[in-house]
Structure formats: C-alpha cells, structure tokens
Amino acid sequence: MHAAWMAPDLVELTPTAAHSKAPPRGQRRDSETSGAAVRAAAARVVHAVRGEGQSLTAAIEAASAQFDERDAALLQAMSFGTLRLLPRFDALTAQLLSRPLRRGDGILQDLMAVGLYQLSAMRIPEHAAVAATVGAARTLGRPRAAGLINAMLRRFQRERPTLLARVENHPGARWLFPDWLLRRLRDAWPEHWQAIVNACNEQPPMTLRVNLLRTSMRNYAKLLAGAGLAARPLPHLAGALMLDTPVPTSSLPGFAEGLVSVQDSSAQLAATLLAPRDGDRILDACAAPGGKTAHLLEQAGAGASVTAIDADAKRLQALRRNLERLQLSARVQVGDALLANLDWPGVPYQRILLDAPCSATGVIRRHPDIKWLRRETDIAALRETQRAMLEALWPLLAPDGRMLYATCSVLPQENEDQIRAFLQHRTDAIERPIDATWGLARAPGRQILPESGAGDGFYYAVLEKLP
C-alpha cells in the first residue's frame, strides 16, 4: 500500500489537555523541564521530515524513546498536528517576523510552528504553551532565539483574527497542500477535490477489526462498553467497529490477546474482495506490516495457505509480531514482487493480493509527511513499478484465479489507468466488476475517496485469469 519509506501507522490520539493541569508543587520544575524537552523534540521531528526527508513515523518513534507515555502522546499530537497544518504556520511566521530567519535556522522555524499549533489547535493553557516553547529554544541550544520566539507567539495571541484572515488568501495556507498535488486533484476530481483536501487535513478516525475466529461482534462490543469506549458497527463490513474517540492500543480490551486489530475501514475491504476460500493458496505481495495478511487468514479458514512477502526485512518483523499476537500462521519471507523468485512462487496461487507501492495520496491524514516527502516526479516511477509488479505476478495466478490490485492512492494514473492498460494487452485477464454501495465506480475498478469521519482513500480492481 505505502511507498517503501513509510513505516506502519501510529495511532494518532486526539489533541487533549494532556498537560493542562498544573503538576503538584514539588514536581513543577520537573514538569517545566519536561515540557520544554517535548516541544524541542517535536521541532526536531518536524525538521527531520521536511529538512531531512525522514518519515514522520520513524522520526516520532526515535524521538519518543526518551519520554514516558504521557509526554510521548503529547509529542505525537504536536508532531502530527504541526505537519498537517505546516503551510499555514509558515505563512503566519512570515507575517510575524520582521525579517526572514537566517540560513541554518530551519529548526527555529519548525519550533515556531510547534508553538503556533499549540495556540491554534490544542487545549493547553496559552501561557504554558508559550513558556514551554520558549524554553525549548534553550533546550535546542538556541538561547538567543528565546526572546524572538516569545515575542512572535505573544503577537500571534494579540492579533490572531487579523493574521489568520490575512494568510487565508494564500492558497498553500488555505488548502495545506502542495501546488502540484492540488492541481492533480482538481484535474482528476473536479467535483470532489475540495472534500478530498478537507478530509485529508483532518485527524483520521480509528477503526477496529474484530478477530471473528476468536470472538463475536456482540461479545467484543460488550468488552468495549465495559472499558468505557463507545463504538459503532459499519454495515458494509463484517467485524468492523469505529471508535468515537481514538485511544492507545493498550486501552483496547483483548488487544494483546489477539481479539482485535486496528485497521482502516477502506483497507478492510481487501480481504472481502479477494474472497479467499478454504484450501486456497494465497500470495500476499508487498504484505508488510501485515494487516491485510492477518485479515485474509481470519477470513479464509484453517485450510488456506498464505505466503506473505515483502522486500523490506525490517517491515516484515512487524508482520510477524502481528501474526503472533493474533495466533495466526503464514509463510513469511523476504521477496521482491518484481521478480518471479522461485523460492516463493511454487505452484500457482488461487488468490493474489497486490497491495502496490503508490503515492499514498489517499492516506495523507494518517501520514501528513507525504505532503512534504512526495514529489510530482515520483508518480511516473511508481506507475512503472506497479506495471512491472502486475506483469511479474500475473503468471503466478492459477487459471480461474483472482488477483486484487489495491492502492491507497486517489490518482487515476496509478489506478484505473494502470488496470485499463493491463487489461488491454492481456488476453487472459478480465475484470470482475465490483458490485457495491461504497466508493465510486470506475472503468475499471472502484475508487474510495477520503471522507470526513469515514475510510481512507483506496482503489480496488478485481482481475480474473481465463482458463
């Protein structure tokens, strides 16, 4: 689904007043020091993404190691939120500074953005947010910048309505998207692009997949209610529950025991569309971190045999941990879907899932760093990789077998255009139309667009091999 640089999803928690209450008097100095350290770490995370090209997930995981669970949650909320709204904060910073920052002061601009995010979108008391952000300048080894940051944030407090109205006239600050991607979305979805952008700029919902091999929807809903967690079923998905409010996985009853997984509702459609049967040999290409692999095993029954491959050995570790937690078994090994490696194909497969590397433009709300890391020139290279994977995997599909092509992209060039070209030159391939109420019918396949309070952006096409 994701490009190779993307790590498994973190569960993004709703920004709360995590540090809004004053600590006990004896702990106040430690709390102030910790607050500055968290803001400094958030600035480093933002800088690692846009200044150094790291993925947000990897940067947060590295930065969180020094903090307890409470501060790590605050760091995560600040990092995600700041990157999601970063073009707006950059435009505000330009308004607030009398002259541009010097070359090499990018970390200060990122710290200013972290400060503006707290004042704009978090429930932290403003005086505490300003004080901790100013302290973070010293933590970052930039004590001379403390006065500048203090003056800038306090001016924003005083002139907030005027400043926000002024930057709304800047397209980047208004839509929070790079120009090239905004242009492509307008071209592809003239009636939907604004809704797509707005949904991508929101925090995503948290959807669960109940392991129906281990429990029932009714029983797990009771466990959630007992834990004080409100959720609603999704009618088009067996086993799916959407939480009213995201929570850490440690708060989910039975998570460690394998009763439930976290998986977006759009991603949960893959196993249903592939329709694995008892006794099928199934190949999950580009399988890590393993959410769809596990779902296929949960649906297929004990008689199915699943081979899960991925070119990234490190990402396969997450897949193995997933299967172990869920008490499921698959053949897991490093393998490149671009190569017909004789170590993993064996006899033909009745089912193949190609969750192809893509621009990930349908999951920007979960990975706001995509807006900074992806380039327009990447699309052509990704299209070629997708085409080559289709060609390499198709010979491994048994006659009358089914392949599901999936991406988490909303760009037609990676989706229906790709599959249309494949079908035009493959005389042994036909499309199996998807009869559904979700998403939009394409020719071929079906496209789900990101929607507020609903699933991520995904594309699916079901292909069958003629005898």
Side-chain angles (χ1 to χ4, degrees), residues 248-270:
T249 55
S250 58
S251 299
L252 295 174
F255 181 83
E257 293 76 23
L259 298 186
V260 69
S261 297
V262 177
Q263 187 180 35
D264 178 74
S265 59
S266 297
Q268 290 190 41
L269 290 163

Side-chain angles (χ1 to χ4, degrees), residues 96-109:
L96 289 162
L97 294 177
S98 58
R99 61 177 182 270
L101 293 169
R102 296 176 301 177
R103 184 186 297 274
D105 282 343
I107 189 68
L108 293 179
Q109 183 168 353

Side-chain angles (χ1 to χ4, degrees), residues 2-3 20 28 37 39 66 122 177 189 241 262 266 295 321 339 361 380 408 426 459:
H2 301 213
S20 60
R28 190 159 300 174
R39 275 73 176 180
Q66 62 180 304
M122 300 190 79
F177 262 58
W189 306 104
L241 291 167
V262 177
S266 297
H295 198 191
R321 289 193 298 269
L339 305 172
T361 44
C408 57
R426 273 285 179 183
Y459 171 81

